[in-house]
Amino acid sequence: NAGVTQTPKFQVLKTGQSMTLQCAQDMNHEYMSWYRQDPGMGLRLIHYSVGAGITDQGEVPNGYNVSRSTTEDFPLRLLSAAPSQTSVYFCASSSRRGSGNEQFFGPGTRLTVL
Amino acid sequence: QQQVKQSPQSLIVQKGGIPIINCAYENTAFDYFPWYQQFPGKGPALLIAIRPDVSEKKEGRFTISFNKSAKQFSLHIMDSQPGDSATYFCAASFSGGYNKLIFGAGTRLAVHP
């Protein structure tokens, strides 16, 4: 199993540009999440999904959109990038089975907005 | 408002030392407290987790101590090694189903040979 994969690994955008960060998992996990990691602030939840077709907002959703058309994929869209969105983005998945708590993280996407 | 406070921000120990990282939480309804380990350029990975019905949990050289009355929990790394150098995050959530993990700010640990 590849686990959780993310593309691209690095991206530089100009203010106002849009882009989609890709995330896929092959563990048949029901739950998927997007986090951003900033120095001194830990990981903060952007959006999450409890199944295909179901998404909800996390702690810092403004400026980001998500959709979940399949169990495997959970893309994160930046509609109009801003310098405040410069961060490292992590996608994670977890299973509804058992306690459902352990989250498996992807390798991250480092985004710079100029 | 930060619901999980982690300290220290950074920590340097010599090989064989016992680094201790502390976390405090506010919501008494939390019942799942994991620690994640992150190496540079990688995503975080679950290291060890505890639920409030026990006061201590050990897995290899890693121990979580939990004090429910004080709303605090800590990570101890016994016989630390240079390979333990990483950033450590504590977190808290509710168990069962999808529950949002609330992370601490992280502690950057360096273990010198």
Side-chain angles (χ1 to χ4, degrees), chain A residues 28-103:
Chain A
N28 202 30
H29 285 170
E30 297 83 359
Y31 307 145
M32 296 186 75
S33 310
W34 275 103
Y35 294 86
R36 60 177 290 172
Q37 182 177 13
D38 301 291
M41 303 192 74
L43 291 100
R44 293 181 292 168
L45 183 65
I46 303 171
H47 285 286
Y48 66 97
S49 169
V50 298
I54 306 170
T55 64
D56 205 347
Q57 296 181 350
E59 182 184 356
V60 287
N62 293 341
Y64 308 95
N65 277 356
V66 292
S67 61
R68 185 132 178 243
S69 56
T70 67
T71 299
E72 295 78 20
D73 301 298
F74 190 42
L76 178 72
R77 281 181 287 277
L78 284 71
L79 301 178
S80 178
S84 61
Q85 294 179 303
T86 294
S87 186
V88 182
Y89 292 85
F90 289 99
C91 178
S93 73
S94 56
S95 172
R96 180 169 57 88
R97 293 175 288 278
S99 67
N101 282 114
E102 180 179 0
Q103 298 206 17

Side-chain angles (χ1 to χ4, degrees), chain B residues 10-89:
Chain B
S10 63
L11 190 54
I12 300 173
V13 299
Q14 295 297 122
K15 178 182 174 183
I18 305 176
I20 300 173
I21 305 171
N22 300 298
C23 284
Y25 63 97
E26 298 174 5
N27 191 332
T28 55
F30 286 145
D31 60 356
Y32 175 72
F33 303 91
W35 285 89
Y36 279 78
Q37 180 187 53
Q38 183 183 31
F39 293 106
K42 305 292 186 183
L46 180 65
L47 183 63
I48 185 173
I50 197 169
R51 299 190 186 276
D53 52 344
V54 296
S55 60
E56 185 176 276
K57 183 175 182 180
K58 292 182 180 181
E59 287 188 5
R61 296 183 293 106
F62 300 91
T63 299
I64 299 179
S65 297
F66 187 82
N67 185 329
K68 188 174 181 178
S69 61
K71 295 189 289 184
Q72 295 176 346
F73 58 110
S74 59
L75 177 70
H76 301 232
I77 305 176
M78 304 301 181
D79 187 27
S80 59
Q81 302 295 314
D84 297 328
S85 298
T87 299
Y88 293 82
F89 294 96

